[in-house]
Amino acid sequence: MDINWNIIGIVAILIVILVVLTIRKNLREKKKLENLLNNDFKKAKKDDVEADDAANEK
């Protein structure tokens, strides 16, 4: 039985290319998600409290 090394080599190269492309896409998606999560929050409202108003509420 003869092993066809050309076909095995081509398949191995295709698998390596597929793994590299998957890792690169995953890193891009991770960066997008990280930016989305870092920028997607509701900013706390700053209420300017005046001294006269705060004293009258108690």
Side-chain angles (χ1 to χ4, degrees), residues 2-48:
D2 191 20
I3 299 175
N4 196 345
W5 290 105
N6 292 333
I7 294 177
I8 293 174
I10 291 171
V11 171
I13 290 172
L14 289 176
I15 290 173
V16 169
I17 290 172
L18 180 65
V19 169
V20 169
L21 290 176
T22 304
I23 291 172
R24 289 181 68 197
K25 183 176 180 181
N26 190 15
L27 290 175
R28 278 197 311 260
E29 292 295 321
K30 181 180 175 184
K31 185 180 274 188
K32 284 181 186 178
L33 179 63
E34 184 177 327
N35 287 335
L36 175 69
L37 293 176
N38 284 337
N39 295 324
D40 187 37
F41 61 91
K42 295 184 179 182
K43 295 183 180 180
K45 294 182 181 178
K46 275 192 169 180
D47 293 331
D48 293 332

